[in-house]
Amino acid sequence: MEIRAGQVVVHCVEHGTGRPVLVLHGAGVDHREAEACFEPALDGVAGLRRVYPDLPGVGRTAAPATLRSADDVVDTLLRFADEVTAGAPDAEYLLVGHSAGAYFAQAMAARRPERVAGLALVCPLLPRVREVPDHRVVAGSGEIGDEVFRSYFVIQTPDMLERYRRHVEPAAALVDEAALERIGERWALTPGHERAYPGPTLVVAGRLDSTVGYAAAVDLVHHYPHASLAVVDDAGHALPHEQPELLRALLADWLIRVERSAAASRADGEPSTRTEPS
């Protein structure tokens, strides 16, 4: 389906009904990778409306010339979230992001914490990436697939190659390189004065992530007051493909914490994402 968010018509795929969960994919791919990785973990959880958009400039979501920065992308995604919840304008939603999608999800939660019931960041792209390890293959010969596959996956088995060919590789033909270059020139988000998002947060990183590393992600546990952190060995930037069962378990625990927070807030008569005291 397509949803207009300001000047951008966002293509997305939805599953289920209930509280929206916006799942944001990484750079250079489209909703198909996020759907393949996160739908098995979220399917079967009652009361969740899983929404997988194509971010501007990839998939079937065009990026008009007016989109010139990461800030513009965040503005578009906030408008998209408003449209997704248009029937209940004050409704809360959950945010899940992988890689660049996690970069945008953090900004969305910081700007509108009262609307976000929970935040999950998987292999997040962060402004201060550091201590990025060299790429290392831990399973497989390292001689199958194309160069992108070999530099992305650390588990290089035929099954992982099949996942790559089905859910990652097809997006390359739909990437608007000019649009991504234009947005990438202003990739740093404008610093804000918002407090750290205070709700239930999950941070997952691959110890062998040679794209963004894991060290900067570890720092987030000190930034978010209700964050759980998992650094997964034998996993790289393709962690959602390589460790699906572990990711499912971590997301399940996060969803339990989201519901616990919501129940506590209902008992207190407050919004579920409460601002922490100074």
Side-chain angles (χ1 to χ4, degrees):
M1 62 183 297
E2 294 183 339
I3 296 176
R4 177 169 288 280
Q7 296 182 329
V8 181
V9 177
V10 179
H11 175 265
C12 63
V13 170
E14 294 190 7
H15 302 280
T17 59
R19 172 182 281 174
V21 185
L22 307 187
V23 186
L24 309 181
H25 62 76
V29 296
D30 59 26
H31 77 274
R32 285 172 288 186
E33 181 175 31
E35 184 182 25
C37 292
F38 292 96
E39 187 59 16
L42 300 174
D43 184 23
V45 180
L48 294 182
R49 174 190 174 195
R50 290 92 62 197
V51 184
Y52 300 89
D54 287 340
L55 299 184
V58 297
R60 298 182 184 177
T61 300
T66 51
L67 259 66
R68 307 192 62 83
S69 68
D71 285 320
D72 292 338
V73 174
V74 172
D75 288 341
T76 296
L77 291 172
L78 288 171
R79 291 190 180 99
F80 175 76
D82 288 342
E83 293 299 322
V84 167
T85 58
D90 294 326
E92 295 179 334
Y93 51 86
L94 288 82
L95 280 173
V96 178
H98 175 235
S99 188
Y103 182 64
F104 296 131
Q106 288 181 88
M108 294 172 69
R111 285 178 56 176
R112 294 188 184 171
E114 74 284 354
R115 296 292 307 279
V116 178
L119 176 66
L121 309 171
V122 181
C123 303
L125 172 64
L126 298 167
R128 289 171 292 278
V129 169
R130 59 185 175 83
E131 301 176 33
V132 177
D134 293 334
H135 183 67
R136 178 165 63 87
V137 177
V138 298
S141 66
E143 298 177 354
I144 63 174
D146 61 18
E147 183 178 352
V148 175
F149 170 76
R150 292 193 297 271
S151 65
Y152 182 25
F153 284 72
V154 302
I155 297 178
Q156 297 184 9
T157 61
D159 285 345
M160 289 297 107
L161 179 59
E162 175 62 20
R163 289 184 65 87
Y164 167 78
R165 287 175 170 167
R166 288 184 59 193
H167 307 301
V168 180
E169 188 177 40
L174 300 177
V175 172
D176 184 341
E177 297 288 358
L180 295 191
E181 182 177 356
R182 183 178 68 243
I183 294 169
E185 290 175 353
R186 298 172 178 84
W187 186 249
L189 292 163
T190 301
H193 301 287
E194 302 90 349
R195 294 183 179 184
Y197 170 69
T201 304
L202 171 66
V203 181
V204 185
R207 192 174 185 88
L208 301 180
D209 190 331
S210 61
T211 301
V212 301
Y214 72 90
V218 170
D219 296 340
L220 294 179
V221 77
H222 304 293
H223 180 68
Y224 294 112
H226 294 287
S228 289
L229 169 70
V231 177
V232 182
D233 197 17
D234 286 354
H237 203 57
L239 182 152
H241 296 282
E242 296 167 338
Q243 298 285 352
E245 294 304 320
L246 179 55
L247 181 61
R248 182 201 294 263
L250 292 168
L251 288 170
D253 174 75
W254 171 65
L255 290 171
I256 289 171
R257 292 192 292 121
V258 168
E259 290 308 311
R260 187 180 298 136
S261 176
S265 296
R266 286 192 296 268
D268 293 341
E270 301 176 359
S272 63
T273 306
R274 299 184 300 276
T275 302
E276 294 295 305
S278 301

